[in-house]
């Protein structure tokens, strides 16, 4: 407790005058010694006593009874005297001096230390400030020095540029003079050569030269263009690869080329379907009248603009053997009659997707005595009566190939008529016939015992009964079945036992087919094509049995699309056993990973692979690119693929011809740039559903990939009319283009270029939800197309 020594003098005098220390000391000592039950009452009594007797004679034990007074000596002083400053006359002890000195020294040291710290901090601040100023000064000096250097360098560059311009002008002047002299010299030589050629062709037209072969070779030796300098056989081969329009234009280049285009071998086979949108009756008639003696094949597929005059001219081609009139809308009974009467040598006739009637078939059975290949697919206006004409007439008894796909109007009677008239039938196609029943097949097969190839795609009502009849006594080589949920492993067992030479097996979307069927097929020795797509019960053990069987080394095409139970283990077996595999499809095999794809990177025979919808990433795609012979690649809907993986693949696989990277949302213009510079031989590309693609990508493609025939840019919402201009300018061989959901491409631009291509699909609708983004390119938070497909497959598996 602090002392009152330093208190105010008046206060100290007051305390001393009234003897407050003695009063407090007597009262306190009395309380402590007597310990009364009521202290306040005790104090009150003693204070009253003190007022009566006075307080000048008080000592510390005045209020203590004699019986309780302690037997101690009188104290020289008390703490109260010290507290109230009453011991001024007493001497200070050495200990107090020592404490006072220590306190003084510590205070002094603290004062000096604080002053020293403040001094050091000031010096440090001054030193840092000086350093900053030096750095600023140095930076300013460097900047000034560099500016001075740049000004001098700029002045020197301008001087050098002027010198270069003067030198370039002098060099250009000398070059122009030399070039002009060279042009004049070349023009003079060309004039002399043209004079010689004119004289040569005048003699040729007069008939002064007998041997045409020698004449042609002489003309080629005289010609200076690269084509004319080639051998005759090579020149004819080159001109045989161009379409009719370009062939007609080539005939107008020079007389040498005109003679080449008149070679009869170029007109043995004429394909008008490649120029279907640009031909008219007059053009076709002129060609057929000139070439009808040696025309063997004619293809008018999808040429819907032709009329009666053209069909009549076709009937004048007496040596015609192969005729394709598929999807010719103006074909009628009279036109077919004229053709059948005028072309008795016809061996191949395709009338699919036409409006032929029973009368048409009657004409065919009457006049086409040598017909061997006939296609009536998707022609629904004839009935069983027409097939009766076909089977009972003089002709059509030599038919070995018949296509009745999509002719749902045919009943059991119709197949009976076919069996009666076409007993030598070997190849049969009955696709997309949902009305086909077991009775139809059994009726047909009762008399057609030579069937070696049969296609029954989209026939859901056929059961094991029909396929077991098909297996009895047959030597099948090729079988195609799709979309049949009734066929079981028993049918496949029967077919594999009765047809040891079976080499083409297509059994897709047959839900009851399991590994037992693959085990039965594993005994066959000549399998080259195996397609088990959408057979969701197929798993690794079944695939292993096939590839490790006697046909493992002969398989060239293997399709395991949507076989959800196939994993990397199957790819290991395929890489080890299938050394001649050219085509492999693992589309939507979700258990296939980078580890399995890396195994395929060492297969040098692999030319085409489809790994769409798998969980492959850039790592697996890069490893696959190590095999540089791949021509076709599909990685559609592979969400783990980025620009990096595709670029690394393209740097290695430079012979790529077909590429599908649709619905890979991470693909950008950088990928298309790499493709354009590395894959010059590309003929088909699909970049649908890639919202980051812009016009610059199409510019890259049109500049680097000039052989593109098919392109799909559906859903590329940022493409504009500029993209179409780039394609027209650079991709001269483009035939098919799909531009669905392209809101920035105008109808006017599409209408202007429609006539130049065979097939154009265009719309400005919003992208469907399964594209994963809206018309502005904003990602949608919903179920993706891949996820929907997987869920549907899982549901089908559960139902099965």
């Amino acid at each position: 407790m602090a002392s009152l020594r330093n208190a105010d003098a008046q206060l100290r005098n007051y305390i001393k005058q009234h003897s407050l220390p003695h009063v407090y000391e007597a009262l306190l000592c009395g309380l402590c010694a007597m310990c009364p039950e009521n202290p306040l009452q005790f104090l009150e009594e003693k204070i009253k006593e003190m007022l009566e007797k006075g307080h000048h004679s008080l000592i510390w034990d005045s209020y203590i009874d004699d019986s309780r007074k302690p037997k101690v000596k009188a104290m020289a002083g008390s703490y109260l005297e010290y507290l109230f400053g009453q011991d001024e006359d007493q001497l200070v002890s050495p200990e107090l001096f020592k404490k006072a000195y220590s306190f003084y020294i510590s205070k002094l040291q603290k004062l000096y230390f604080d002053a020293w710290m403040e001094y050091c901090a000031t010096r440090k601040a001054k030193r840092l400030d000086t350093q900053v100023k030096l750095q600023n000064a140095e930076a300013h000096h460097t900047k000034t020095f560099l500016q001075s250097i740049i000004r001098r360098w700029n002045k020197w560059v301008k001087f050098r540029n002027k010198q270069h311009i003067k030198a370039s002008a002098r060099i250009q002047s000398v070059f122009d003079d030399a070039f002009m002299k060279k042009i004049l010299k070349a023009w003079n030589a060309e004039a002399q050569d043209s004079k010689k050629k004119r004289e040569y062709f005048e003699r040729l037209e007069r008939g002064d030269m007998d041997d045409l072969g020698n004449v042609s070779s002489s003309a080629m030796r005289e010609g200076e263009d690269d084509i004319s300098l080639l051998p005759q056989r090579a020149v004819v081969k080159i001109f045989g690869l161009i379409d009719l329009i370009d062939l007609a234009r080539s005939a107008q280049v020079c007389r040498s080329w005109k003679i080449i285009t008149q070679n009869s071998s170029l007109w043995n086979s004429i394909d008008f379907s490649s120029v279907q949108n640009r031909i008219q009756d007059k053009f076709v008639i002129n060609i057929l009248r000139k070439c009808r003696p040696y025309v063997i094949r004619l293809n008018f597929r999808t040429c819907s603009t032709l009329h009666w005059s053209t069909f009549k001219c076709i009937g004048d081609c007496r040596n015609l053997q192969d005729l394709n009139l598929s999807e010719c809308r103006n074909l009628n009974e009279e036109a077919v009659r004229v053709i059948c009467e005028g072309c008795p040598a016809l061996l191949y006739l395709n009338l699919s997707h036409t409006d032929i009637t029973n009368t048409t078939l009657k004409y065919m059975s009457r006049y086409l005595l040598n017909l061997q290949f006939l296609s009536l697919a998707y022609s629904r206006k004839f009935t069983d009566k027409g097939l009766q004409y076909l089977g009972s007439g003089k002709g059509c008894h030599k038919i070995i190939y018949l296509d009745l796909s999509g002719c749902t109007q045919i009943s059991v009677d119709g197949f009976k008529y076919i069996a009666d008239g076409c007993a030598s039938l070997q190849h049969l196609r009955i696709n997309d016939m949902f009305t086909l029943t077991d009775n139809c097949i059994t009726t047909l097969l009762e008399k057609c015992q030579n069937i070696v190839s049969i296609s029954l795609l989209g026939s859901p009502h056929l059961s094991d009964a029909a396929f077991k009849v098909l297996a009895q006594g047959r030597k099948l080589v090729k079988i195609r079945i799709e979309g049949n949920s009734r066929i079981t492993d028993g049918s496949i067992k029967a077919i594999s036992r009765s047809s040891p030479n079976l080499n083409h097996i297509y059994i897709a979307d047959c839900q009851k087919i399991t590994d037992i069927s693959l085990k039965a097929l594993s005994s066959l020795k000549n399998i080259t094509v195996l397609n088990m797509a959408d057979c969701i019960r197929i798993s690794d053990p079944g695939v292993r049995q096939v590839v490790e069987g006697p046909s493992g080394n002969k398989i060239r095409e293997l399709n395991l699309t949507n076989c959800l139970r196939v994993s990397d283990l199957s790819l290991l077996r395929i890489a080890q056993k299938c050394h001649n595999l050219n085509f492999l499809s693992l589309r939507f095999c979700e258990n296939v990973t980078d580890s399995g794809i890396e195994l395929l990177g060492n297969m040098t025979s692999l030319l085409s692979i489809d790994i769409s919808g798998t969980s492959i990433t850039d790592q697996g795609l890069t490893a696959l690119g190590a095999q540089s012979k791949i021509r076709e690649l599909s990685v559609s809907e592979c969400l783990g693929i980025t620009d990096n993986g595709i670029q690394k693949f393209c740097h290695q696989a430079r012979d790529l011809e077909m590429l599908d990277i649709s619905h890979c949302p991470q693909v950008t213009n950088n990928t298309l740039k790499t493709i354009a510079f590395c894959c010059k031989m590309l003929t088909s590309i699909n970049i649908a559903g890639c919202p980051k693609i812009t016009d610059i990508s199409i510019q890259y493609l049109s500049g680097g990939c000039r052989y593109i025939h098919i392109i799909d840019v559906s859903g590329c919402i940022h493409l504009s009319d500029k993209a179409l201009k780039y394609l027209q300018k650079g991709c001269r061989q483009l035939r098919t283009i799909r531009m669905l959901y392209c809101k920035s491409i105008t109808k006017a631009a599409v209408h202007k270029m429609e006539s130049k291509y065979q097939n154009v699909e265009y719309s400005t609708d919003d992208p469907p939800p399964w594209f994963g983004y809206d018309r502005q390119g904003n990602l949608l938070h919903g179920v993706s197309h891949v996820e929907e497909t997987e869920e549907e497959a899982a549901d089908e598996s559960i139902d099965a």
Side-chain angles (χ1 to χ4, degrees):
M1 188 174 178
S3 173
L4 296 178
R5 297 174 185 272
N6 298 323
D8 185 66
Q10 186 178 357
L11 177 61
R12 294 178 63 189
N13 291 332
Y14 176 80
I15 292 172
K16 184 182 294 187
Q17 182 179 357
H18 293 87
S19 302
L20 291 180
H22 299 88
V23 172
Y24 293 153
E25 186 179 22
L27 292 174
L28 288 175
C29 289
L31 284 173
C32 292
M34 298 301 294
C35 297
E37 292 180 359
N38 192 343
L40 295 178
Q41 186 178 357
F42 176 80
L43 291 175
E44 184 179 359
E45 292 176 355
K46 299 302 177 183
I47 292 174
K48 288 181 179 180
E49 183 180 349
M50 187 187 306
L51 291 175
E52 294 176 356
K53 298 180 179 181
H55 59 272
H56 296 289
S57 60
L58 288 177
I59 57 176
W60 66 277
D61 58 346
S62 298
Y63 298 122
I64 300 176
D65 293 342
D66 295 337
S67 59
R68 293 190 180 184
K69 286 184 180 180
K71 298 179 179 180
V72 295
K73 298 181 179 180
M75 297 178 62
S78 67
Y79 180 75
L80 291 176
E81 292 178 347
Y82 168 77
L83 180 63
F84 289 96
Q86 299 300 317
D87 55 347
E88 293 168 333
D89 299 333
Q90 296 181 5
L91 295 176
V92 179
S93 63
E95 289 78 7
L96 293 178
F97 274 114
K98 189 175 181 179
K99 290 182 179 180
Y101 179 76
S102 299
F103 176 77
Y104 175 75
I105 291 298
S106 62
K107 293 288 287 185
L108 190 61
Q109 287 178 347
K110 182 179 180 182
L111 178 64
Y112 289 164
F113 183 76
D114 291 342
W116 178 77
M117 288 293 293
E118 183 178 0
Y119 171 74
C120 291
T122 305
R123 287 190 60 187
K124 185 176 180 181
K126 289 183 178 180
R127 187 165 57 251
L128 291 176
D129 184 55
T130 303
Q131 187 176 0
V132 170
K133 290 181 178 180
L134 289 174
Q135 290 177 353
N136 293 337
E138 185 177 358
H140 177 72
H141 176 266
T142 303
K143 181 178 179 180
T144 305
F145 184 69
L146 290 176
Q147 289 177 349
S148 176
I149 293 175
I150 290 174
R151 282 195 294 269
R152 294 175 60 187
W153 176 78
N154 189 25
K155 184 178 180 180
W156 180 82
V157 167
K158 290 181 179 179
F159 172 75
R160 294 293 296 172
N161 287 340
K162 291 180 181 179
Q163 296 295 322
H164 288 165
I165 292 172
K166 292 180 180 179
S168 177
R170 293 178 183 176
I171 294 173
Q172 187 66 36
S173 177
V174 174
F175 174 79
D176 291 342
D177 293 342
F179 188 66
M180 186 61 66
K181 291 179 181 178
K182 195 170 186 67
I183 290 176
L184 292 174
K185 185 177 180 180
W187 176 80
N188 186 26
E190 182 66 22
Q192 296 295 331
D193 185 66
S194 298
K195 183 178 179 181
K196 292 180 181 180
K197 286 184 178 180
R198 184 170 62 254
E199 294 175 355
Y200 163 75
F201 284 110
E202 288 175 356
R203 284 189 296 151
L204 180 64
E205 292 176 355
R206 289 196 303 268
D208 295 342
M209 306 182 74
D210 297 330
D211 191 359
L212 183 59
N214 294 335
V215 168
S216 299
S217 61
S218 175
M220 285 187 291
R221 284 194 298 271
E222 292 180 1
E224 292 188 356
D225 61 277
D226 295 337
I227 301 297
S228 299
L229 294 175
L230 295 173
Q232 180 76 6
R233 178 182 292 181
V235 172
V236 173
K237 187 70 174 178
I238 292 173
F239 278 85
L241 299 176
I242 61 179
D243 59 34
L244 292 176
I245 302 297
D246 292 335
L247 195 62
R249 291 172 178 170
S250 300
Q252 301 175 5
V253 173
C254 62
R255 294 187 178 183
S256 176
W257 282 28
K258 183 177 182 180
I259 293 176
I260 294 172
T261 57
Q262 292 175 352
N263 191 302
S264 61
S265 62
L266 295 176
W267 302 98
N268 288 340
S269 178
I270 305 177
D271 185 6
F272 289 100
S273 65
S274 61
V275 290
Q276 55 179 307
N277 297 325
R278 292 182 284 176
I279 61 170
Q280 298 178 354
D281 291 320
K282 182 178 180 181
F283 176 75
V284 178
I285 292 172
N286 289 336
I287 292 179
L288 293 182
R289 283 178 178 174
K290 293 178 182 179
C291 309
R292 62 187 178 186
Y294 36 83
V295 171
I296 297 176
R297 301 180 185 86
L298 285 176
N299 185 1
F300 290 98
R301 184 176 180 273
T302 66
C303 295
S304 57
T305 59
L306 302 181
H307 298 85
W308 162 252
S309 57
T310 297
F311 298 128
K312 183 179 179 180
C313 192
I314 295 174
D316 296 333
C317 301
R318 305 290 296 180
N319 297 320
L320 187 63
Q321 297 181 12
D322 187 348
L323 178 61
N324 189 342
L325 296 173
S326 176
E327 301 182 51
C328 291
R329 291 184 298 182
N330 297 323
L331 185 68
N332 52 31
E333 297 176 355
E334 189 64 20
V336 175
R337 184 188 66 79
V338 171
I339 293 173
C340 292
E341 289 180 354
C343 306
L346 268 179
L347 299 177
Y348 303 81
L349 180 60
N350 190 339
L351 298 176
S352 60
H353 297 276
T354 58
D355 295 332
I356 61 171
T357 61
N358 294 334
T359 306
T360 304
L361 298 180
K362 186 175 182 180
Y363 292 144
M364 292 167 54
S365 64
R366 182 181 301 174
Y367 297 110
L368 301 181
L369 305 181
N370 298 310
L371 191 64
Q372 296 182 4
F373 295 81
L374 176 62
S375 175
L376 303 175
Y378 305 98
S379 299
R380 295 189 172 93
K381 289 194 175 182
F382 70 91
T383 63
D384 294 339
K385 189 68 175 178
L387 296 178
Q388 185 179 10
Y389 291 144
L390 192 67
S392 61
K394 297 180 181 179
C396 301
H397 294 295
K398 297 181 180 179
I399 291 179
I400 62 175
Y401 177 93
L402 181 61
D403 188 354
L404 297 174
S405 300
C407 298
T408 55
Q409 74 276 14
I410 302 177
S411 65
V412 178
D413 294 336
F415 285 100
K416 182 179 179 180
Y417 297 142
I418 294 173
D420 293 337
C422 306
S424 58
L425 194 64
Q426 297 180 11
H427 307 278
L428 182 62
R429 292 173 61 90
I430 319 178
N431 300 330
D432 297 327
M433 287 276 284
F434 62 89
T435 58
L436 196 65
T437 62
D438 293 342
N439 292 334
C440 296
I441 297 297
T442 53
T443 301
L444 179 64
L445 296 178
E446 283 179 356
K447 296 184 179 180
C448 297
Q449 300 293 329
N450 300 317
I451 298 292
V452 296
S453 172
I454 188 168
S455 179
L456 299 169
L457 307 183
S459 300
H461 301 298
L462 297 180
S463 65
D464 288 341
F467 291 106
K468 288 180 179 179
V469 172
L470 177 64
Q472 292 176 0
R474 301 301 190 284
K475 302 298 180 182
L476 289 177
V477 175
K478 179 179 180 180
I479 184 169
R480 294 170 62 86
I481 308 169
E482 182 180 4
N484 191 313
S485 59
R486 302 181 66 184
I487 184 174
T488 64
D489 296 327
S491 297
I492 306 303
K493 285 183 179 180
I495 293 173
S496 61
R497 282 196 301 266
S498 63
S499 305
N501 295 322
L502 195 63
N503 58 37
H504 186 114
I505 304 170
Y506 183 102
I507 307 174
D509 195 17
C510 297
Q511 304 301 318
K512 293 185 178 180
I513 298 299
T514 66
D515 291 338
I516 298 175
S517 295
L518 292 181
K519 183 178 180 180
L521 295 174
S522 64
S523 61
L524 300 177
K525 299 180 179 180
N526 300 309
I527 300 177
T528 57
V529 177
L530 179 61
N531 189 326
M532 306 299 293
D534 297 312
C535 295
I536 58 178
R537 295 189 179 186
I538 297 299
S539 61
D540 291 331
V543 176
R544 178 181 62 82
Q545 289 177 338
V546 172
V547 299
E548 291 184 352
S551 297
N553 194 39
K554 298 179 182 179
I555 295 177
R556 297 184 181 276
E557 296 185 17
L558 181 60
N559 192 331
L560 299 174
T561 297
N562 210 24
C563 294
L564 304 179
R565 301 180 183 180
V566 173
S567 65
D568 293 339
L569 184 60
S570 294
L571 300 190
L572 175 61
R573 302 297 183 185
I574 291 171
Q576 291 174 344
K577 301 295 182 180
C578 302
H579 301 298
N580 293 308
L581 188 65
N582 298 141
F583 170 82
L584 176 62
S585 177
L586 301 170
R587 193 177 183 90
F588 297 113
C589 293
E590 58 185 13
N591 292 322
V592 172
T593 64
D594 290 338
S595 300
I597 298 300
E598 288 176 0
L599 298 173
L600 303 179
N602 298 322
M603 297 184 66
T604 57
S605 62
L606 196 60
L607 300 178
S608 175
I609 183 169
D610 187 347
I611 48 178
S612 302
T614 61
S615 56
I616 183 176
T617 63
D618 292 341
Q619 179 183 352
L621 190 59
T622 303
L624 186 63
Q627 202 289 92
S628 59
K629 292 186 179 180
I630 290 181
R631 300 290 188 275
E632 299 178 358
L633 173 68
S634 178
V635 289
S636 176
E637 300 187 33
C638 291
L639 304 182
I641 298 298
T642 64
D643 288 345
N644 189 28
I646 300 177
Q647 288 173 353
K648 289 183 179 179
F649 177 86
C650 293
H651 279 299
Q652 301 175 87
R654 292 180 175 269
D655 295 331
L656 202 63
E657 296 177 2
M658 192 282 289
L659 179 62
D660 184 356
I661 53 175
S662 59
H663 303 287
C664 293
Q666 300 187 63
V667 171
T668 65
N669 294 333
N670 294 330
T671 292
L672 274 297
K673 182 178 181 180
T674 302
I675 293 172
F677 283 101
C678 296
C679 305
K680 302 287 187 180
M681 306 305 295
L682 204 64
T683 59
S684 175
I685 184 169
N686 188 342
I687 52 176
C690 297
K692 297 181 180 180
I693 298 300
T694 62
D695 292 335
I696 192 67
S697 294
I698 305 302
Q699 186 177 12
Y700 290 144
L701 284 178
S702 61
C705 304
R706 297 184 176 272
Y707 303 106
I708 292 180
H709 293 168
I710 302 172
I711 185 171
D712 189 346
V713 294
S714 300
C716 296
I717 55 178
H718 297 298
L719 296 185
S720 64
D721 295 345
K722 288 184 179 179
L724 300 185
K725 293 181 180 179
Y726 294 143
L727 289 175
Q728 292 178 12
K729 183 178 180 181
C731 301
R732 298 296 180 87
Q733 300 188 29
L734 188 62
R735 299 173 184 174
T736 300
I737 178 171
R738 299 183 77 244
M739 302 173 290
L740 304 178
Y741 320 120
C742 295
K743 64 183 182 65
S744 299
I745 298 178
T746 62
K747 292 183 179 180
V750 175
H751 182 70
K752 184 183 294 185
M753 48 82 71
E754 270 183 328
S755 60
K756 299 180 181 179
Y757 302 112
Q758 294 181 9
N759 186 17
V760 177
E761 298 182 37
Y762 166 74
S763 74
T764 56
D765 300 334
D766 292 343
W770 61 267
F771 267 51
Y773 57 90
D774 57 17
R775 62 186 293 118
Q776 281 78 31
N778 301 319
L779 296 179
L780 301 177
H781 301 287
V783 180
S784 67
H785 179 55
V786 180
E787 293 172 348
E788 291 176 353
T789 305
E790 292 176 352
E791 291 178 358
E792 291 173 1
D795 294 341
E796 292 175 359
S797 177
I798 294 173
D799 295 339

